[in-house]
Amino acid sequence: MTVENALAEHSSALANQRNDVSLIRYSGRFAPSPTGPLHFGSLLTAVASYCDAKANQGTWLVRIEDTDIPRIYPNSEAHILACIDAFQFQPDAEIIFQKDRLAYYEQVLEQLKTTHAIYACQCTRKILGSNHIYAGTCRELNLDFSQQAIRLKVSDQRICFEDRLQGQQCSNLQHDLGDFILKRRDGIISYQFAVVVDDFLQGITHVVRGADLLDNTARQIWLASVLNYPVLQYMHLPLAMNDQGQKLSKQNMAQPLELSKAPELLQHAILALGQPHVDLDQPNVMLKQAIQQWDVSLIPQGIYLSGVYQ
């Protein structure tokens, strides 16, 4: 069997698990990681992804990206689900959790083994030192895959895509990063790997997320191309910053969303995205108004929002 036939066979088998998306023109998603409670920056992504999907007569899904089990913050998954309810977002399918989907990722790893697109790596952080570009040390060693990290081979070529908000973006993974990890030595599936597989299985066509993930996109496009997955459309939103000039994040102790203030926070998020004013009301009513008025061209340009947020 040729490499191409093996790839097609494995892709066909996995595609049987894929959502029926043959008639869907736009399918978006909100995919938070439960490494802490949702904050205002998370709300911006949720609102933008939801409004963009609904304004384009598309579907909107929610996926909890919880493969990095050691980093899961206590009760953060419950807070995410409570936020979905409090802000009255309406997912178009059951919310899924990546920790329940490990068998799918292992299936894709087997596919990549068959096509020799991956290899086992024994390099530790101590061996790698401060060099952030992997030199391919283990690429030709043919190490056993058990209890080793697994890396994806990259090529010396430019990967370019047109971001709907940030414009054209290009990267050469071999020069900028080197072969990158899909599965860690401790068995944890990488974000880069899980997100590509789940976007395919869920039939996602459009990704709306924060600009802090912009430099992840070339890796995901490359992996998708290796797997013969469809090309996605991307839009990376400007980031909300605190009064210290740091992006709002769980690591920077951004304030959790106060569910009792959902209408006020929702109104604030819509305005921060440059959209027309919506009247204070029940969140679902406000979201309907925001969808009717949604205009991507009004979203502030650049990587960062100019205001200060909590």
Side-chain angles (χ1 to χ4, degrees):
M1 180 181 292
T2 67
V3 167
E4 291 76 12
N5 287 341
L7 183 61
E9 180 178 306
H10 281 279
S11 295
S12 176
L14 192 67
N16 290 332
Q17 307 294 332
R18 194 181 184 210
N19 289 357
D20 183 4
V21 296
S22 57
L23 300 178
I24 295 178
R25 184 171 63 88
Y26 186 118
S27 183
R29 45 62 160 193
F30 176 53
S33 298
T35 53
L38 296 188
H39 50 73
F40 187 73
S42 313
L43 182 60
L44 291 177
T45 300
V47 170
S49 61
Y50 188 80
C51 290
D52 199 56
K54 297 301 181 180
N56 286 282
Q57 294 76 52
T59 59
W60 184 79
L61 310 179
V62 176
R63 179 173 72 231
I64 310 300
E65 299 194 331
D66 54 357
T67 58
D68 197 349
I69 295 171
R71 294 184 63 228
I72 293 178
Y73 189 84
N75 300 317
S76 55
E77 290 188 355
H79 183 259
I80 291 171
L81 299 178
C83 286
I84 299 297
D85 288 340
F87 288 89
Q88 297 181 348
F89 294 110
Q90 298 178 7
D92 291 301
E94 182 180 355
I95 295 173
I96 68 170
F97 295 77
Q98 286 185 331
K99 65 172 180 259
D100 299 329
R101 302 167 66 79
L102 300 181
Y104 291 137
Y105 311 137
E106 292 298 330
Q107 186 177 345
V108 178
L109 284 175
E110 289 301 317
Q111 170 184 340
L112 292 169
K113 287 180 186 177
T114 301
T115 59
H116 306 290
I118 57 176
Y119 60 93
C121 174
Q122 64 184 355
C123 295
T124 62
R125 290 184 180 179
K126 183 177 181 180
I127 292 173
L128 295 175
S130 60
N131 186 5
H132 70 282
I133 303 175
Y134 185 68
T137 307
C138 297
R139 191 188 248 219
E140 306 301 332
L141 297 184
N142 295 317
L143 299 171
D144 187 270
F145 280 93
S146 61
Q147 298 183 331
Q148 304 286 7
I150 298 177
R151 289 185 183 270
L152 178 71
K153 298 175 183 177
V154 301
S155 295
D156 184 5
Q157 65 184 70
R158 292 184 72 193
I159 297 172
C160 296
F161 67 98
E162 189 70 24
D163 189 89
R164 294 170 58 204
L165 199 58
Q166 305 296 339
Q168 188 179 60
Q169 307 290 318
C170 293
S171 176
N172 185 315
L173 291 175
Q174 188 173 96
H175 295 174
D176 300 339
L177 181 70
D179 301 336
F180 59 93
I181 289 177
L182 300 186
K183 184 178 180 180
R184 296 185 342 204
R185 183 190 305 272
D186 60 6
I188 299 295
I189 297 294
S190 78
Y191 160 74
Q192 310 294 348
F193 183 32
V195 71
V196 170
V197 174
D198 281 328
D199 279 345
F200 172 71
L201 289 178
Q202 291 193 280
I204 300 302
T205 61
H206 291 69
V207 173
V208 177
R209 59 190 180 188
D212 53 331
L213 296 172
L214 193 59
D215 63 356
N216 288 255
T217 309
R219 277 174 274 183
Q220 294 163 18
I221 290 173
W222 172 252
L223 174 56
S225 71
V226 171
L227 291 165
N228 284 340
Y229 290 174
V231 177
L232 307 185
Q233 297 293 316
Y234 292 92
M235 181 165 73
H236 288 83
L237 305 167
L239 304 172
M241 309 295 285
N242 63 21
D243 57 4
Q244 302 297 313
Q246 304 166 322
K247 77 177 180 74
L248 293 186
S249 70
K250 298 147 190 172
Q251 290 78 15
N252 292 328
M253 306 302 291
Q255 293 298 310
L257 292 172
E258 293 186 47
L259 305 189
S260 63
K261 297 181 179 179
E264 293 83 358
L265 288 168
L266 183 57
Q267 185 182 61
H268 193 190
I270 291 167
L271 292 175
L273 289 165
Q275 302 303 299
H277 174 83
V278 298
D279 301 321
L280 277 177
D281 205 321
Q282 292 297 313
N284 62 329
V285 176
M286 298 172 68
L287 285 168
K288 287 179 181 178
Q289 185 179 355
I291 291 165
Q292 292 170 352
Q293 301 174 156
W294 182 250
D295 186 347
V296 169
S297 70
L298 298 177
I299 299 175
Q301 299 294 306
I303 301 297
Y304 306 106
L305 293 174
S306 58
V308 173
Y309 300 89
Q310 299 301 321

